[in-house]
Amino acid sequence: MRKFLLSAMLGMFALAGFSQTSLNVKAGMSMTNITDSEMDMKVGYTVGLGVDYQFTNTWYLQSGLNFTGKGAKLSGLKVKSHYMEIPVLAAAKFDIADNMKFVVNAGPYVAVGLGGKAEFEGESFKVFKEYDNKDALLKRFDMGIQYGVGLELSNRYLINLSGQYGFIDTVNNTTKSPKNIAFLISLGYRF
């Protein structure tokens, strides 16, 4: 896992050496839930380092390394999980005013659960580890589709609204098909 993280980060910095590539940082809020359940949305965080690779004046490839808090809640039950995510997005950027671009992007993401806990009636346990001789509550690996829109101001400041829909059933030992779903709002700065 550490080798993968190090390789991903070094790859992003290597790409940044090319003139068509730029790095950015972002931070914001996540609003997440688990589909096919009676749980309610949970508010969390998202922070990350991103890279844009420019093919033409309009078309870009966007990726990065994000850390996002996900989960859901129901009366007496709170599920909090923390994921490391790598999206690979095709993006189109359109000039809409002086120093302002409208961005549309979409593509797959992969995620690995780093940690988290569930709290139920005063008890707490880790969501990605076995508990009381039972399987972990959540599966550690997730993947799905990410899509979004955004604004770029003065080619430096970024405002993004993104959505994610997981393809993998996230909860163990259930007859339903619960998946991660998220909406992310973030502000960023390009170097």
Side-chain angles (χ1 to χ4, degrees):
M1 179 64 144
R2 289 182 186 153
K3 289 180 183 178
F4 174 74
L5 258 175
L6 183 59
S7 297
M9 290 179 69
L10 288 175
M12 284 192 297
F13 285 115
L15 275 175
F18 297 107
S19 62
Q20 301 125 322
T21 305
S22 63
L23 287 176
N24 61 71
V25 292
K26 58 188 167 190
M29 176 176 72
S30 66
M31 296 164 282
T32 65
N33 205 341
I34 298 173
T35 65
D36 208 10
S37 72
E38 297 176 7
M39 300 187 83
D40 294 324
M41 176 189 73
K42 180 189 166 303
V43 175
Y45 66 92
T46 183
V47 295
L49 176 66
V51 62
D52 279 19
Y53 181 81
Q54 181 179 1
F55 291 105
T56 68
N57 286 338
T58 303
W59 294 102
Y60 291 75
L61 178 69
Q62 296 178 324
S63 189
L65 186 62
N66 302 321
F67 297 93
T68 303
K70 295 186 177 181
K73 60 184 179 180
L74 187 65
S75 59
L77 173 64
K78 289 183 184 175
V79 179
K80 299 176 187 176
S81 52
H82 309 284
Y83 285 89
M84 177 186 68
E85 303 171 340
I86 299 175
V88 179
L89 310 173
K93 299 182 181 184
F94 306 98
D95 290 322
I96 58 174
D98 288 342
N99 295 319
M100 184 182 294
K101 290 184 181 182
F102 179 71
V103 182
V104 178
N105 59 29
Y109 76 89
V110 294
V112 176
L114 301 176
K117 66 179 180 176
E119 297 172 356
F120 182 66
E121 296 180 353
E123 285 191 62
S124 176
F125 58 93
K126 295 181 179 181
V127 294
F128 296 117
K129 297 199 181 225
E130 291 183 1
Y131 175 73
D132 203 22
N133 294 324
K134 296 178 184 174
D135 287 340
L137 176 65
L138 300 179
K139 295 177 183 170
R140 191 174 290 276
F141 180 74
D142 189 24
M143 67 181 291
I145 189 161
Q146 181 171 320
Y147 45 88
V149 295
L151 287 176
E152 293 186 358
L153 308 170
S154 299
N155 203 30
R156 291 275 181 235
Y157 305 100
L158 315 171
I159 302 168
N160 294 300
L161 175 61
S162 302
Q164 291 180 337
Y165 189 85
F167 293 156
I168 295 177
D169 294 349
T170 191
V171 179
N172 282 315
N173 301 323
T174 181
T175 57
K176 297 182 179 183
S177 294
K179 296 169 176 43
N180 281 324
I181 188 169
F183 294 98
L184 313 164
I185 300 171
S186 63
L187 300 175
Y189 181 78
R190 175 176 292 123
F191 298 101

